[in-house]
Amino acid sequence: MTEIDTFRQETREWLDANCPDSMRQPVSGFEDIYNGGRKPEIDIPEQPLWCERMAERGWTVPHWPKEYGGGGLSAEEVKVLKEEMARIGARRPLDSFGISMLGPALLKFGSEEQKREHLPPICRGEIRWCQGYSEPGAGSDLASLQTRADDQGDHYLINGQKVWTSYADKADWIFCLVRTDNSGSKHEGISFMLFDMDQPGVTVKPIRLISGSSPFCETFFDDARAEKRNLVGEAGQGWTIAKYLLTHEREMISGFGTSGGKSLGKTALETLGADAEGRLRNGILRQDIAQHQLDTLVFGATMERVGDEVKAGQGLGPASSIFKYYGTELNKRRNELNLAVGGEAALGWSGEQYHEGETVRSFLRSKGNSIEGGTSEVQLNIVAKRVLGLPDA
Amino acid sequence: MTLVLNEEQQMLKESAAGFLASKATVGHLRKLRDSGDELAFEPAVWKEMVDMGWAGIAIPEAYGGLGYGYTGLGVVLEQAGRHLSASPLEASVLVGATAINCLGTEEQKTHWLAAIAAGEKQVSLALQESGAFDPVGVTASATRDGDAFVISGEKRMVLDAVSADAFVLIARSGGVAGETRGLSAFLIPADAAGLSITPCDMVDSRQCGALSLNAVRVPADALMGSEGDAWPALERTLDIAAIGFSAQLLGLSLEAFERTMDYIRERKQFGQVIGSFQGLQHRAAHLFAELELARSIVLKALQAIDSDDQGLSRYASAAKAKLSEVARLASNEGVQMHGGVGMTDEYDIGLYLKRARVLEHLMGDYYYHLDRFARIGGY
Ligand SMILES: Cc1cc2nc3c(=O)[nH]c(=O)nc-3n(C[C@H](O)[C@H](O)[C@H](O)COP(=O)(O)OP(=O)(O)OC[C@H]3O[C@@H](n4cnc5c(N)ncnc54)[C@H](O)[C@@H]3O)c2cc1C
């Protein structure tokens, strides 16, 4: 047996013995994902246990280095772990902004001390993070942000307002863009800071979404305090880190475009019936579904190709922008088709037979995919200017 | 297999790009068109391609080829698509040789594949009978008569029919139109008695002839494989051909896009280069994303041929449907963004539009393959 076969064997046995049955059911929606934190939301009692068991092996973030709480696995081993988890339908034990966004940025730009302090609690799901980027006057034009951080020697005092801060009410810490200098261009003078949300100067007000839930908040800072050691990188050099983190956010969001599940075509066939030749009865819907499934297959192949190119040292290039754009548009298309297939019944909002309006809530939430992390229009601007080199107006 | 070209394929790509850019460009295609050349390619240039080994790239070494596989051939076809290079590469190398390799007997392969690889012979596939691609709709008939077969029927869309030395001809020896059962393949020499060839120029200035078979008599050893059972090998041939044309559509689309980007970076209106207008920028960026997707599915499908993937048909239909769609977008946007000059014969972008449409239709268009993709998906 080769090493990787042995690894597969051991992984399979360990997962079989340790993954609770309740963690082998598919997640039912966006809100059904375990995020950890000091005050975790627990929908199924085994969620923390499953997270803890996986974290002990470093497998909540299997590709991060061991010394920071990751699994230290090679790309090949990570793939095997994923395959073995998929084989038994095991859920990911933990998902969080710490894993998908802050972690990669700290690994690249953080000091040794910052990595050791912040990464292991992310891996164990102890600290939940939120992202303080957007402000009322700085959305697509993020660099116009005005929240101020004033140097007080050993710490900064932070004043201003953030908006659309997802899960600010549930998060323990925030990674935040603040202005430490106003004198240069708008991209200069931005700093990337980390601080605790559980302090007197921080106020959070949830905002209700069209999907009915309230994951995002307005966040106010009134002399909130950030310790100097929690400034990442140099003061005034935060824009580079902010952009790097955004590429990871975009990658995470574009992943929605590949999420599989049961074939939409087959579901439609079962729900709506077949014609004499066994094809979906409504030919126009069938065509739309086929186009969508085709694009999903091709998009998946593109993620694979770009992944292979990166491994072969050919660089990611502009991929994160086109993936964000295409993946989110695909996910929105899938949600539209789900509604079409489900018919009126899919429009139910509450009541037993509607599973709490899951289809329609997911449809409504998906509209945010092409807004969050930079809108589709902004992604197209990035491709046009930075990749195709087309000039400014 | 990883979705990147290996070193050998990368070198092949560069040498093909270099050769075609000097010897088989859009300008050469234009000259052939204007001279009314019946072959619609230059034999001397074709000979150079053969000397570089291109005719034998995908032919197994055992039959006199290079055995580089279809990923290698796809790389060359993509470059040929970029330059709209006219040659028998598609008719004889992609389709003809593949048909013989998939359908032929050991003897036929030994004889014909080596001859194709050496550039001594050209073979084309005679399948289609109506304007629409419908491989199981074949009605041409093959009847046994003692030691021979007698074949009658009409064929259309036979690529490079005029220069072909022989045809792989699909006829029905049993079953009825619409059935896969009863289809047989024959290797028929172009000069067989009772076979007439009518050349036909297509809108892309390439040539697709029509064949008329009036009781053509061929010996029993013209039969490829066993009588009435051609379908599985024919289906594989068509899948491979569809993937090869997808590779060519990819090259065509990329080139049309790049030419269009160059144009909008230069052309000025309202005192600005038109490429600075967001209305054009967003469409260009969208097209760029589609082209990146197109690259992946073509490579994935080519590798599926070489790795004997069980899902070949699914990848073939995915590739041909996607590339037909993307090439349509790229060629239409190409003309539109060029504005008035895009409508002139003098500008090359129109030639890309024309070639795109012909390639889209060869071996099944967008609608055909999207429908097949859904069927393979079980709905
Ligand atoms: C579900 C969700 C979760 C989010 N989570 C967070 C979070 O956790 N933390 C955080 O900081 N932020 C978060 N955001 C905020 C998000 O990043 C912003 O909403 C986004 O960047 C757009 O900014 P805006 O809402 O101000 O829209 P605007 O910038 O006002 O845009 C309005 C419209 O104008 C278009 N537009 C703007 N500029 C241009 C241009 N130059 N060219 C063409 N079109 C343009 C946009 O594409 C859009 O269609 C979240 C948003 C959503 C929807």
Side-chain angles (χ1 to χ4, degrees):
Chain A
M1 233 197 298
T2 63
E3 253 172 72
I4 195 78
D5 291 333
T6 313
F7 176 78
R8 185 184 292 277
Q9 181 72 27
E10 286 169 6
T11 301
R12 182 174 297 190
E13 284 164 17
W14 187 87
L15 287 172
D16 272 335
N18 288 283
C19 182
D21 285 341
S22 59
M23 293 291 101
R24 301 184 190 198
Q25 319 292 333
V27 279
S28 62
F30 225 24
E31 315 294 325
D32 196 18
I33 292 167
Y34 186 65
N35 292 276
R38 287 180 196 142
K39 322 159 266 224
E41 295 169 287
I42 299 167
D43 304 312
I44 305 173
E46 284 85 13
Q47 277 174 334
L49 176 72
W50 174 225
C51 179
E52 193 187 307
R53 285 183 180 165
M54 287 287 275
E56 254 169 51
R57 302 178 77 85
W59 284 2
T60 50
V61 197
H63 58 289
W64 285 7
K66 270 198 164 132
E67 64 261 41
Y68 307 129
L73 300 190
S74 66
E76 204 182 7
E77 287 167 333
V78 171
K79 206 168 156 200
V80 168
L81 174 60
K82 275 193 194 155
E83 284 165 5
E84 289 305 315
M85 287 174 68
R87 200 181 56 85
I88 59 168
R91 290 186 184 195
R92 279 207 298 258
L94 179 67
D95 258 309
S96 71
F97 292 173
I99 292 176
S100 50
M101 297 196 246
L102 177 61
L106 277 185
L107 282 168
K108 189 167 166 79
F109 297 101
S111 65
E112 186 57 30
E113 207 185 341
Q114 288 166 340
K115 292 181 205 175
R116 288 193 185 273
E117 179 179 350
H118 295 295
L119 294 177
I122 289 176
C123 296
R124 293 192 297 264
E126 289 165 3
I127 294 293
R128 182 170 179 176
W129 289 84
C130 64
Q131 176 188 31
Y133 272 36
S134 305
E135 298 183 8
S140 298
D141 184 15
L142 182 60
S144 299
L145 60 94
Q146 293 304 327
T147 294
R148 269 177 35 227
D150 298 317
D151 194 337
Q152 305 288 311
D154 63 339
H155 68 278
Y156 287 97
L157 276 187
I158 301 180
N159 284 285
Q161 183 196 342
K162 294 285 170 183
V163 68
W164 317 135
T165 333
S166 298
Y167 306 108
D169 53 339
K170 313 230 162 80
D172 308 305
W173 278 63
I174 188 167
F175 47 92
C176 197
L177 295 182
V178 293
R179 190 160 289 291
T180 41
D181 186 354
N182 245 327
S183 55
S185 85
K186 66 181 181 181
H187 294 101
E188 295 163 5
I190 292 174
S191 298
F192 189 95
M193 264 173 218
L194 315 174
F195 53 91
D196 201 323
M197 293 286 278
D198 187 12
Q199 56 166 310
V202 177
T203 319
V204 170
K205 286 190 192 146
I207 303 170
R208 195 172 156 100
L209 291 192
I210 53 177
S211 63
S213 58
S214 311
F216 1 98
C217 304
E218 288 179 287
T219 306
F220 301 89
F221 306 122
D222 183 10
D223 279 347
R225 190 181 158 108
E227 299 303 328
K228 268 263 169 84
R229 67 187 160 88
N230 282 321
L231 167 72
V232 182
E234 304 273 306
Q237 305 295 310
W239 187 243
T240 312
I241 306 174
K243 279 195 301 184
Y244 180 77
L245 186 142
L246 271 175
T247 63
H248 283 271
E249 178 177 13
R250 287 167 186 167
E251 229 168 280
M252 170 191 74
I253 297 170
S254 56
F256 301 152
T258 52
S259 51
K262 191 170 180 186
S263 147
L264 188 55
K266 284 194 177 145
T267 308
L269 195 68
E270 283 161 20
T271 318
L272 303 171
D275 68 9
E277 289 182 65
R279 299 184 230 184
L280 181 61
R281 203 159 48 188
N282 183 329
I284 297 175
L285 179 58
R286 178 175 181 264
Q287 174 173 337
D288 282 354
I289 291 177
Q291 278 173 332
H292 177 263
Q293 309 243 108
L294 173 66
D295 282 334
T296 305
L297 172 79
V298 179
F299 185 68
T302 306
M303 300 284 253
E304 190 186 337
R305 173 172 67 86
V306 171
D308 287 343
E309 284 176 358
V310 170
K311 269 180 240 154
Q314 296 176 7
L316 189 66
S320 76
S321 279
I322 65 163
F323 284 175
K324 164 69 168 69
Y325 165 65
Y326 211 97
T328 58
E329 297 296 334
L330 265 181
N331 195 43
K332 289 198 300 182
R333 267 163 73 191
R334 185 178 56 229
N335 274 283
E336 292 288 354
L337 290 166
N338 276 340
L339 273 201
V341 169
E344 280 168 43
L347 296 171
W349 185 253
S350 66
E352 271 296 289
Q353 72 272 39
Y354 296 129
H355 304 288
E356 294 303 318
E358 210 182 280
T359 311
V360 75
R361 282 175 207 267
S362 159
F363 157 81
L364 290 165
R365 175 60 182 82
S366 74
K367 298 302 173 198
N369 295 160
S370 48
I371 300 172
E372 60 198 311
T375 65
S376 284
E377 290 76 17
V378 165
Q379 304 312 310
L380 292 174
N381 284 348
I382 292 174
V383 172
K385 301 218 160 69
R386 300 222 197 109
V387 183
L388 302 177
L390 295 173
D392 285 324
Chain B
M1 230 180 258
T2 55
L3 282 180
V4 283
L5 295 181
N6 65 29
E7 225 170 286
E8 199 175 59
Q9 291 156 351
Q10 195 59 43
M11 276 164 56
L12 186 58
K13 181 173 179 168
E14 280 154 27
S15 77
F19 175 81
L20 294 170
S22 72
K23 295 282 177 76
T25 61
V26 191
H28 292 94
L29 176 77
R30 202 180 264 289
K31 253 194 231 142
L32 280 163
R33 178 193 73 173
D34 295 343
S35 70
D37 183 288
E38 197 184 43
L39 281 185
F41 66 86
E42 290 177 75
V45 175
W46 173 231
K47 181 160 188 315
E48 286 190 66
M49 294 184 188
V50 171
D51 290 345
M52 287 187 293
W54 292 1
I57 288 176
I59 293 175
E61 280 173 290
Y63 301 116
L66 294 179
Y68 279 4
Y70 283 94
T71 310
L73 178 57
V75 158
V76 173
L77 286 168
E78 180 187 327
Q79 296 308 313
R82 267 191 184 268
H83 296 286
L84 307 187
S85 307
S87 81
L89 205 52
E90 303 93 58
S92 188
V93 178
L94 171 63
V95 188
T98 299
I100 293 174
N101 197 32
C102 290
L103 287 150
T105 61
E106 203 48 38
E107 247 179 275
Q108 287 162 339
K109 289 199 232 182
T110 308
H111 176 74
W112 286 96
L113 291 180
I116 293 174
E120 290 155 9
K121 298 282 184 204
Q122 286 175 43
V123 177
S124 190
L125 176 70
L127 166 69
Q128 202 165 315
E129 297 182 356
S130 70
F133 182 73
D134 178 18
V136 294
V138 167
T139 61
S141 65
T143 324
R144 235 181 219 285
D145 181 21
D147 261 359
F149 283 94
V150 176
I151 299 169
S152 291
E154 305 287 328
K155 294 288 175 183
R156 289 164 66 166
M157 297 294 289
V158 180
L159 301 171
D160 290 334
V162 172
S163 57
D165 298 285
F167 301 100
V168 171
L169 186 132
I170 310 299
R172 192 169 277 291
S173 53
V176 294
E179 282 181 357
T180 53
R181 193 177 57 88
L183 293 175
S184 298
F186 298 90
L187 243 172
I188 300 182
D191 58 5
L195 172 64
S196 63
I197 302 169
T198 313
C200 170
D201 291 336
M202 302 296 288
V203 63
D204 65 343
S205 310
R206 296 302 329 275
Q207 191 249 112
C208 276
L211 305 189
S212 180
L213 297 98
N214 185 6
V216 174
R217 213 179 156 79
V218 291
D221 66 3
L223 178 68
M224 306 174 80
S226 57
E227 191 181 340
D229 281 336
W231 179 250
L234 175 61
E235 189 178 33
R236 183 171 167 80
T237 303
L238 299 177
D239 280 340
I240 293 173
I243 294 168
F245 285 119
S246 303
Q248 205 156 53
L249 280 165
L250 174 63
L252 176 155
S253 306
L254 291 170
E255 181 72 22
F257 176 69
E258 286 165 21
R259 285 170 180 246
T260 305
M261 289 307 103
D262 288 345
Y263 186 79
I264 71 171
R265 278 189 207 107
E266 298 289 321
R267 168 76 178 164
K268 279 194 178 162
Q269 290 291 288
F270 304 100
Q272 301 179 37
V273 286
I274 58 175
S276 68
F277 300 137
Q278 200 176 59
L280 296 192
Q281 287 189 348
H282 282 192
R283 277 156 52 194
H286 171 74
L287 185 50
F288 174 80
E290 291 284 4
L291 288 166
E292 283 298 304
L293 264 72
R295 281 180 208 270
S296 323
I297 193 60
V298 167
L299 190 52
K300 186 100 193 164
L302 286 166
Q303 291 187 352
I305 310 174
D306 290 334
S307 64
D308 267 324
D309 193 301
Q310 293 304 300
L312 182 66
S313 293
R314 182 158 169 268
Y315 284 121
S317 280
K320 191 70 196 330
K322 187 71 202 170
L323 268 293
S324 296
E325 187 193 22
V326 170
R328 201 185 294 176
L329 184 67
S331 56
N332 287 346
E333 287 286 46
V335 171
Q336 179 66 25
M337 291 191 193
H338 272 79
V341 298
M343 290 299 293
T344 63
D345 182 65
E346 189 192 336
Y347 260 71
D348 286 339
I349 195 72
L351 295 173
Y352 282 83
L353 178 72
K354 294 173 183 179
R355 181 81 180 140
R357 290 307 180 279
V358 173
L359 286 172
E360 280 170 51
H361 279 274
L362 292 174
M363 302 297 154
D365 68 355
Y366 171 73
Y367 299 101
Y368 176 87
H369 282 290
L370 190 67
D371 176 67
R372 185 162 177 257
F373 180 80
R375 267 200 231 203
I376 294 169
Y379 58 98

